[in-house]
Amino acid sequence: MKNIVLLVCLFIGFNVSAVESGDAENGKAISGTCAACHGADGNSLIAINPKLAGQHKNYLVKQLQEFKLASQTGGKEGRNNAVMNGMAAALSEQDILDLSAYFSSQEATQGEASEDAVAQGSKLYVGGDLQRGITACIACHGPKGNGTSLSGFPDISGQHSDYIAAQLKAFRSGERANSLNGMMADIAKRMTDKDIEVISSYVAGLH
């Protein structure tokens, strides 16, 4: 009897693990509606839309779940975005896992930083600004901007500078409020428009 119970537990555990990992092939099959904004392989050609290719799967899952939550709560909870709320509303949890598995498995294209932004951007990214209470980006996103999957910090390397700037401004204004412990809002509210401009360009060139 104990052996049977053990086998059942192992079987259930295996299936839960398989579901949580997502099916990249199915994700590719259902990703057609994503392609218009994010590109067929997740490398968006539209600078205001983020590249999804190579992003940490757990981060993608979290964002899609929060867009869906916003669609269910009229934007009062989750991550509110008029376009993405509608796109995520009809997704099942398995769809979310599968799409995240697919896009995370793709290779991201590299971006390029403006030469004018490299010196100041590097200083802010690596050292922050203690006098103004701006935490160094490198502390969470790493020296190459890759972030970490387990901690939930996204890969921002090579991301479109327009998109990064828009998100920092959204965190600063409170329009976006779904970062871990609200840390991005706390950092962004201390940043000037010039800070955001140079750091967004600098990040685009990281790889």
Side-chain angles (χ1 to χ4, degrees):
M1 184 64 182
K2 288 182 178 179
N3 288 336
I4 293 174
V5 171
L6 178 60
L7 285 172
V8 170
C9 289
L10 287 173
F11 179 74
I12 292 173
F14 174 80
N15 279 291
V16 169
S17 177
V19 170
E20 289 180 348
S21 66
D23 183 337
E25 284 302 312
N26 187 57
K28 180 179 181 179
I30 64 174
S31 67
T33 54
C34 310
C37 294
H38 299 287
D41 63 350
N43 282 297
S44 169
L45 297 177
I46 305 170
I48 199 61
N49 295 331
K51 297 178 185 178
L52 307 180
Q55 184 58 264
H56 301 303
K57 181 184 65 179
N58 292 347
Y59 182 79
L60 292 175
V61 169
K62 179 179 185 291
Q63 301 311 305
L64 286 172
Q65 288 175 336
E66 293 188 353
F67 283 131
K68 183 173 181 176
L69 177 61
S71 75
Q72 296 169 333
T73 62
K76 294 179 181 179
E77 297 180 54
R79 181 178 174 183
N80 192 32
N81 178 278
V83 175
M84 283 305 304
N85 290 2
M87 299 299 291
L91 295 176
S92 68
E93 284 302 303
Q94 189 62 57
D95 290 337
I96 288 174
L97 291 168
D98 293 350
L99 286 168
S100 299
Y102 170 63
F103 285 120
S104 66
S105 70
Q106 301 305 295
E107 185 175 350
T109 56
Q110 294 182 4
E112 187 174 345
S114 165
E115 290 185 12
D116 297 338
V118 172
Q120 190 175 344
S122 175
K123 182 179 179 181
L124 197 57
Y125 187 89
V126 176
D129 189 320
L130 293 178
Q131 196 169 29
R132 291 187 289 151
I134 299 176
T135 304
C137 311
I138 197 173
C140 295
H141 296 286
K144 295 184 178 181
N146 300 133
T148 54
S149 179
L150 291 178
S151 64
F153 299 128
D155 184 341
I156 55 175
S157 63
Q159 186 59 263
H160 294 304
S161 60
D162 287 2
Y163 175 73
I164 293 292
Q167 297 312 299
L168 286 172
K169 289 177 180 178
F171 280 124
R172 186 175 65 180
S173 69
E175 180 185 347
R176 180 176 174 184
N178 72 326
S179 65
L180 183 64
N181 297 322
M183 63 175 63
M184 282 307 305
D186 186 58
I187 294 169
K189 71 183 181 183
R190 305 170 193 274
M191 299 177 74
T192 65
D193 285 346
K194 185 63 176 178
D195 292 332
I196 290 176
E197 178 187 339
V198 297
I199 202 66
S200 299
S201 181
Y202 179 75
V203 162
L206 287 176
H207 55 81

